[in-house]
Amino acid sequence: MLYYIGIGILVLVIAFFMAATQKARGYNFWRYFIVSLVIVASIYMMLENLVLKPK
C-alpha cells in the first residue's frame, strides 16, 4: 500500500513540473497538469505491466 502511495505522489510531482514548464511558456497550467498526469500514469502502468507480466 505504501508503495502505491509513493508512486502516486511521484506521478503527481512529475506531472506538476511538466505543467509548470508549460505555464512558463504561457499555456494553461491546469490543462497541461491533467494531460501530464494521464501521460505519466499511463507510462507507469505500461512499465509496471511490462515488468510484472513479460511475454
Side-chain angles (χ1 to χ4, degrees):
M1 183 70 180
L2 188 61
Y3 170 74
Y4 287 109
I5 292 173
I7 292 296
I9 291 171
L10 185 64
V11 166
L12 283 174
V13 168
I14 292 171
F16 174 80
F17 282 111
M18 287 172 70
T21 58
Q22 295 301 318
K23 181 172 175 31
R25 293 182 182 177
Y27 296 115
N28 186 1
F29 173 79
W30 290 108
R31 184 176 123 196
Y32 279 95
F33 181 70
I34 299 297
V35 169
S36 301
L37 194 62
V38 170
I39 290 171
V40 173
S42 62
I43 289 173
Y44 167 73
M45 284 189 259
M46 284 190 283
L47 288 175
E48 185 182 44
N49 194 19
L50 183 69
V51 170
L52 295 179
K53 300 175 187 173
K55 289 188 176 185

